[in-house]
Amino acid sequence: MTQPLPPRAPARPVTRTVHGTDITDAYGWLRADNWRDVLRDPTLLPADIRDHLRAENAYADAILAPAGDLRRRLVAEMRGRIKEDDSSVPSPDGPYSYYVRFREGGQHPLVCRRPRDGGEETILLDADALAAGKTFFDLAEAQHSPDHRLLAWSADETGGELHTIRLRDLATGADAAGAVEWTTGEVVWAADSRSFYYVRLDENHRPSRVFRHILGTDPANDEEIYREDDAGWFVHLSRTQSGAFGLISVSDHETSEVYLIDLADPSARPRLVVARETGHRYSVEHMGDDLVISTNADGAEDFKLVTAPLSAPERENWRELVPHRPGIMLLKHTAFRDFLVRLEREDANPRLVVRALATDDEHAIAFDEPAYGLRYEPGYEYDTPVVRFTYSSMTTPAETYAYDMASRARQLIKRREVPSGHDPARYVTKRLFATAADGETVPISVLHRRDLALDGTAPCLLYGYGAYGIAIPADFESNRLSLVDRGFVYAIAHIRGGTEKGWRWYTDGKREKKTNSFSDFIAAGRHLAALGYTAPRRLVAHGGSAGGMLMGAVANDAPDLFRAILAEVPFVDVLNTMLDDSLPLTPPEWPEWGDPIRDEAAFRRILAYSPYDQVKPQTYPAILAVAGLSDPRVTYWEPAKWVARLRERMTGGGPVALHTNMEAGHGGAAGRFERLEEVARLYAFAIVQTGASEEPLA
């Protein structure tokens, strides 16, 4: 079949000199001058850019047209694994239990409650109804007031992560006038239910200020209670498990600072816990007269727990509670009235540890599978002996348990249903270790059919991320089965830049050591091939956002290893973005990648690996890139420019296609079934490019 011709973006070269080096960008014109306006209203995109993106979409559609039936089958399979009327486990709070559920065929959640001891359900918020007639709708938060009379809810209606907060009277179901706009969506209620706190975005889309909104007043008159003037720092809002304090958390990628807000005092001002100190990261929980602080102070690279008097939390008053243990990373902690719960990770697997406060006795909850995911939900209540945790693996659907921290009894309260059927015994999950270029061992989580022959003939999708200290869990994801059932090996490379092996695993994959992430991923691919799980040119690489940078880098560095690249919202124009301090994420990102404006060494380092700048005259794998027009994190023009330069310089290979969601942002489509269409596009591309079976194997 004759391939359609790809669109060609006009080259309009602009050259500038940075640190004595000329940089020419032929496709910078794809960055709309009014990009801030486009985040609020995508229809304001200039016509020439819109026409080009539409031409790219038409080409991507044409490339995938022969796989139309395959995509439809994939969507049907993936939807068949979803319990359409599923619901979360109800979480008790005072007289009610709150939960989220879906209706059959519904794209968006219903926020509900019922009396704690059973009774009639009340639908507090119907997101399907709220989304009706809108091209995009994403419900962010729905926080009920402490007196249970009101609901503060927030939503994004463009994909640009500009959330509007509205207030609903739960007796009448009516929303009050005076919505609060330009927020992160986060809400923390005051104890008297007469006001709430929220974070407002500045003109550059950065969360920088905390306000108090008093019910019944004009949001324009809301009181500012905290302002962060450093453009490199972001502000977030949460609440202690005790409900006594709101937490203003201010941070970049290396340093943090926390303020307490007394939620019982309507006139309270934020109170600093510990002043920011470069490289010091900490988080705070409240426990009686003390604070429990997770900190990396004093060389505690993987964090330790200390307590401090609430009245005097300065570092000189800290008392060690859980010492630092190198290689065992403390991820999260929650203080209940009688227990302290923490989640920690060692050798890429998590465990839960419960501590009785009266005796300091501890016990751990872990599982035997070689690779798995584990998380816990604190719920709403402080005075409770019960915590819920959810376990899954790449073969085992999620199981949620109610765990009695006093008796150590666990009760299975929900097992994820797979309506079309799922037999874990048909699959195998393993943990492998690849040897990196410098001798480090890189964990790889693997899923495949039990009857798969490990003779190098199987295609393999290898997923990677490797940034910001984010660890990719080896948990259950039913969509993967559509690949695995067609004979794919599905693998996750836990590369440096994440924290699977502790905080050092993160620092060894950032800034000066960023290229370790790329070489780790390549080493993982070669290791899978050497063991017969797949073979070179049978590999498909998949990553998104910062993992999309990884995709661009490995396409440049090891094009012969991969048959195809799936790059979702890929951060590929690293140098130009880090040189543009007007963009929302640039100043906060300098601690992660380096500041090429002021630091020549950082400039040369980023230039040497930035995927857009390092596109070479060589044969490239087939590439499918995906973008979101209203994406404030990885702006749409990054993948558009990258694809244009690839087509200009590559000497063979491909095809190279770009699909831009013109009605969504960084997370893609918001509806749960709409998202399946996007996954099916990626998976169909992988199946076609590897020549894998288009039907599940017997």
Side-chain angles (χ1 to χ4, degrees), residues 8-24:
R8 290 283 180 176
R12 302 173 188 171
V14 174
T15 300
R16 58 175 167 166
T17 302
V18 182
H19 298 297
T21 298
D22 289 341
I23 302 173
T24 299

Side-chain angles (χ1 to χ4, degrees), residues 160-377:
E161 300 178 34
L162 300 166
H163 295 90
T164 297
I165 300 172
R166 295 176 174 86
L167 193 65
R168 175 159 295 193
D169 185 325
L170 295 181
T172 66
D175 288 336
V180 184
E181 298 181 334
W182 269 75
T183 82
T184 63
E186 299 160 312
V187 172
V188 171
W189 281 96
D192 63 5
S193 301
R194 298 180 62 186
S195 63
F196 61 79
Y197 299 88
Y198 65 93
V199 180
R200 187 175 291 174
L201 303 173
D202 65 17
E203 64 278 2
N204 282 321
H205 208 281
R206 296 171 185 141
S208 59
R209 296 178 292 168
V210 178
F211 287 80
R212 176 193 289 114
H213 176 68
I214 299 174
L215 274 57
T217 66
D218 186 343
N221 298 324
D222 287 353
E223 177 189 12
E224 180 183 287
I225 68 164
Y226 179 84
R227 175 191 292 262
E228 177 54 54
D229 292 321
D230 189 329
W233 286 61
F234 276 8
V235 177
H236 294 285
L237 199 58
S238 60
R239 192 196 73 157
T240 62
Q241 186 67 19
S242 68
F245 296 100
L247 299 172
I248 299 175
S249 301
V250 193
S251 64
D252 62 13
H253 291 299
E254 290 188 330
T255 306
S256 61
E257 186 175 69
V258 178
Y259 295 79
L260 303 177
I261 309 171
D262 186 344
L263 296 178
D265 181 0
S267 63
R269 309 304 301 174
R271 183 160 68 90
L272 178 65
V273 177
V274 178
R276 66 187 67 176
E277 195 176 307
T278 300
H280 180 216
R281 296 180 61 87
Y282 71 97
S283 60
V284 174
E285 257 285 27
H286 170 232
M287 185 177 68
D289 294 329
D290 289 331
L291 297 176
V292 184
I293 301 171
S294 171
T295 173
N296 67 349
D298 308 314
E301 180 181 62
D302 291 317
F303 296 86
K304 63 181 178 179
L305 284 182
V306 301
T307 61
L310 180 59
S311 58
E314 295 80 13
R315 282 180 63 168
E316 57 265 27
N317 299 321
W318 287 2
R319 302 180 300 275
E320 188 172 89
L321 183 66
V322 177
H324 174 240
R325 296 150 299 157
I328 302 176
M329 186 171 169
L330 203 157
L331 305 172
K332 175 182 176 181
H333 70 291
T334 301
F336 297 92
R337 192 194 70 173
D338 298 320
F339 300 93
L340 181 68
V341 176
R342 69 179 187 268
L343 184 66
E344 56 190 33
R345 183 170 53 238
E346 183 177 17
D347 289 333
N349 273 341
R351 61 174 169 255
L352 205 59
V353 181
V354 178
R355 184 186 189 101
L357 296 177
T359 63
D360 288 338
D361 288 340
E362 289 190 351
H363 64 277
I365 303 168
F367 294 84
D368 294 331
E369 286 194 81
Y372 61 86
L374 184 65
R375 58 183 172 83
Y376 75 93
E377 299 296 336

Side-chain angles (χ1 to χ4, degrees), residues 404-488:
D404 189 306
M405 294 180 280
S407 70
R408 305 189 184 184
R410 69 177 70 174
Q411 177 188 3
L412 177 65
I413 53 177
K414 179 179 172 64
R415 176 178 284 121
R416 176 176 172 178
E417 296 181 41
V418 181
S420 60
H422 173 66
D423 180 5
R426 293 184 62 211
Y427 305 94
V428 174
T429 185
K430 299 176 183 176
R431 175 64 54 75
L432 308 175
F433 292 90
T435 301
D438 60 357
E440 281 282 6
T441 55
V442 181
I444 310 169
S445 298
V446 175
L447 171 69
H448 61 80
R449 286 170 51 122
R450 188 171 295 277
D451 60 1
L452 184 76
L454 301 182
D455 57 5
T457 62
C460 173
L461 188 143
L462 179 62
Y463 181 85
Y465 188 74
Y468 305 118
I470 294 173
I472 305 301
D475 55 8
F476 187 77
E477 172 50 68
S478 64
N479 291 340
R480 298 169 184 160
L481 298 178
S482 286
L483 290 178
V484 174
D485 285 346
R486 287 171 169 81
F488 269 78

